[in-house]
Amino acid sequence: MKHIRPYLGLVFFFVLYLWNFPIVWKSPEQLGRFDWDLYTFHVEFLRKSYLEFNTFPLWNPYYGAGFPVWENPSSKLGSFTHLFALFLPSVDALKLSFLFYFALAGILNYQSFRLYNQSKQLTPILFVCLFQFSGFFFQKFYAGHLNQIQGLFLPAFVFYFLTYLKENRNWILIPILLVAYILLSEGAIYTITQIAFLVIFLAGREVFLSDRKKETIYHFFSLSLILLVVLSFKWIPMFLLVHKVGRHFVPDQFPLNLSDLYSIFFGSSQHPLLSQALSQMQYRYWEYGNYLGQIPFYLSPLLLFTKRKMDSVLGLLGLVVWIMIGKTSSLSPVTILENLPIYSLERVYPRWSLSVIFLFVWCLVMGIQTITDKTPKKYERHLSISLLILLFLHTLDVRKMNTKYLDEIFVLLPPTLNISNQESYPITVGTVPDYGSDSRMLPALQANLSINDIYENLTFSFANQTIDSPEYHGEFFLYPSYKKIKPVHWKPDTFQFEKLPADQILVINQKFHPGFITNVPELKTCSLNGYLAIMVTKSIHQIQISYSPFASFSFYGKNEFVCETLKKPSSTEKNIL
């Protein structure tokens, strides 16, 4: 019972904080605002692939002339969200995944904090609640930034990692690998980059504090190698795709002022607009709001009571605050990060408030622990009761600020479309009616349409022809005859055709990607002015084209897969293709 008691305490405070969450299920037929369309679209495609095509999704043809799935950080392929989507509607799967990750992170954050900091049972509860009840996570849930909610696991990864360096317990590899896989499968790039930054600095601190420095350094490199090797099947394709195609980048032009920090963390900065405007705002308000609560603000002088070994953590906190503020000068750490892979694509430095909250709460709780350690035994019970009362009041405060606008998220009704597609494969349209979200990808997918009006950070895009264009020849056609042709069997990543005539090029109205292969050894896919195509030099009775993630590695080489033109096209044909 003694070991169960702290978890019951966590359950009590979690239920108290999340008391208003069921309101998001009030109107199941309504869709979410802002970025909810984007991530619901990706999860809906995973669900559609399983329920309609009984296939493991590898290529998504429903937007942007086709995108790879396994390599795309936004796809959530292989994640817990993907698992939930097999049994629940996509929006419900995303809502459930938030609760699941909130609970799982609570358990792992509690265990890892207690293990690394060798804390009493109460201080880990304080840490978990102060960190997870910050405004960051519900701000991201509100905005539909569903690749950042997994920042919940940041403390668990850091503390487990540092514990392994210190004690080399092999079982710790399991939660480390689990958290790392969750972050990769959910596309939590921002969390991953911040974890990497923190681990490098904190591992150096661990080496400095260690009596066995060489052994600690060995553990650091061995654990890093294990992570890179075991999870290489996921991170290598993802890194190569992002590095190759890049992403839409709008640099953070307006740095914050130090005076803005109070509004962000302790002021009423959550919604709908900042009550006290920041000096300059380049992004929407949810990028700046991360309400931590009034009680942590009044307890912040306890940072001075942390033990001496925490001084370097306080210094790291100052460094991360500097990064969060943005590019203030040429001496800013942001200037260095802009020259590093992946970090160079960072564009919203206020998102580093996640790391600021982690380090601030860690130092604050360790200051509280210092006070409790020095408290006479006869007063320990009174102090514990006082801290629990403060935590109760804190939970009510942050719940009021962070969850009061949950009923404003799912308020949109799907648009009415005036186009019907009876084919098994999607037909390409430019856009669909605006229904209030930041994108329109989900309604198009649900109507079996492929949309060019995409909302994707990756710049791996290609404007293929839409059905309302005079140059549209169908989703599959032969060139140069422009004869339409239909596949006899179609799945999102597999197309099967019969009886293709000689001296024609089979053109598919999707972007070329070398991950597509055929079942005919002498026939290779090629690019015809950017379109996916196959040169048919002799009559083919049957051919199957499918996408292979293994073949897609050639995409990152230097070879060009260009179709040889069978006859010299006219100027009109050049414009069409």
Side-chain angles (χ1 to χ4, degrees), residues 138-200:
F138 268 117
Q139 284 285 70
K140 301 309 176 186
F141 185 82
Y142 175 83
H145 292 176
L146 303 177
N147 62 338
Q148 297 181 52
I149 288 170
Q150 298 74 28
L152 288 160
F153 292 96
L154 183 148
F157 187 95
V158 172
F159 288 138
Y160 278 129
F161 195 102
L162 297 179
T163 302
Y164 184 87
L165 299 187
K166 185 165 61 174
E167 302 181 14
N168 191 27
R169 300 186 188 183
N170 290 331
W171 68 266
I172 295 178
L173 289 173
I174 297 174
I176 291 176
L177 289 169
L178 172 63
V179 171
Y181 178 75
I182 288 174
L183 298 178
L184 286 169
S185 64
E186 294 284 355
I189 303 299
Y190 280 100
T191 303
I192 292 172
T193 55
Q194 292 185 43
I195 283 178
F197 181 89
L198 295 173
V199 162
I200 289 174

Side-chain angles (χ1 to χ4, degrees), residues 466-527:
T466 61
I467 192 171
D468 57 349
S469 169
E471 287 120 13
Y472 178 77
H473 301 288
E475 298 300 317
F476 311 92
F477 65 93
L478 299 175
Y479 174 79
S481 66
Y482 296 109
K483 177 184 177 181
K484 290 185 179 180
I485 186 171
K486 291 185 179 182
V488 294
H489 179 72
W490 186 90
K491 289 184 178 182
D493 49 24
T494 305
F495 326 127
Q496 186 174 325
F497 299 89
E498 289 184 350
K499 298 180 180 178
L500 297 181
D503 298 326
Q504 294 284 315
I505 298 179
L506 171 62
V507 182
I508 300 172
N509 192 33
Q510 294 184 34
K511 70 165 69 80
F512 167 76
H513 194 289
F516 281 96
I517 58 176
T518 74
N519 64 339
V520 181
E522 60 269 22
L523 292 182
K524 307 293 183 183
T525 59
C526 55
S527 171

Side-chain angles (χ1 to χ4, degrees), residues 360-504:
F360 174 82
V361 171
W362 180 14
C363 293
L364 179 63
V365 171
M366 294 307 293
I368 295 174
Q369 180 169 303
T370 301
I371 300 298
T372 58
D373 290 342
K374 294 181 178 181
T375 301
K377 193 170 184 64
K378 63 179 180 178
Y379 296 116
E380 284 183 355
R381 185 177 184 85
H382 299 83
L383 179 60
S384 297
I385 293 174
S386 299
L387 289 173
L388 287 173
I389 292 174
L390 286 176
L391 182 57
F392 179 82
L393 296 174
H394 168 75
T395 303
L396 295 180
D397 173 35
V398 292
R399 185 183 74 181
K400 178 181 178 181
M401 289 296 297
N402 297 338
T403 70
K404 62 183 177 181
Y405 292 101
L406 290 178
D407 59 346
E408 291 189 4
I409 303 174
F410 303 99
V411 296
L412 304 178
L413 292 174
T416 301
L417 306 185
N418 57 6
I419 184 172
S420 176
N421 179 17
Q422 303 302 320
E423 303 290 352
S424 60
Y425 53 85
I427 56 178
T428 306
V429 297
T431 188
V432 297
D434 185 0
Y435 70 103
S437 188
D438 281 358
S439 56
R440 308 169 180 87
M441 297 161 64
L442 178 63
L445 170 64
Q446 293 173 331
N448 197 25
L449 304 174
S450 178
I451 189 171
N452 268 347
D453 184 10
I454 70 172
Y455 192 74
E456 176 72 69
N457 278 330
L458 297 176
T459 54
F460 182 39
S461 57
F462 175 76
N464 57 341
Q465 298 297 335
T466 61
I467 192 171
D468 57 349
S469 169
E471 287 120 13
Y472 178 77
H473 301 288
E475 298 300 317
F476 311 92
F477 65 93
L478 299 175
Y479 174 79
S481 66
Y482 296 109
K483 177 184 177 181
K484 290 185 179 180
I485 186 171
K486 291 185 179 182
V488 294
H489 179 72
W490 186 90
K491 289 184 178 182
D493 49 24
T494 305
F495 326 127
Q496 186 174 325
F497 299 89
E498 289 184 350
K499 298 180 180 178
L500 297 181
D503 298 326
Q504 294 284 315

Side-chain angles (χ1 to χ4, degrees), residues 281-293:
M281 290 176 60
Q282 180 174 346
Y283 307 104
R284 284 174 166 168
Y285 47 84
W286 53 65
E287 297 291 7
Y288 302 93
N290 192 346
Y291 184 68
L292 185 56

Side-chain angles (χ1 to χ4, degrees), residues 201-256:
F201 278 85
L202 293 173
R205 169 181 176 268
E206 201 61 44
V207 171
F208 178 79
L209 296 175
S210 176
D211 295 329
R212 298 170 295 178
K213 290 180 170 44
K214 290 185 179 179
E215 187 175 332
T216 304
I217 293 173
Y218 171 77
H219 291 159
F220 172 80
F221 284 105
S222 62
L223 177 55
S224 301
L225 183 62
I226 290 171
L227 283 169
L228 292 174
V229 171
V230 173
L231 298 175
S232 59
F233 69 95
K234 186 64 178 177
W235 74 264
I236 290 180
M238 185 184 298
F239 175 82
L240 290 176
L241 177 67
V242 174
H243 183 68
K244 173 70 176 181
V245 306
R247 55 174 294 185
H248 294 292
F249 180 69
V250 180
D252 198 342
Q253 299 174 355
F254 304 133
L256 302 171

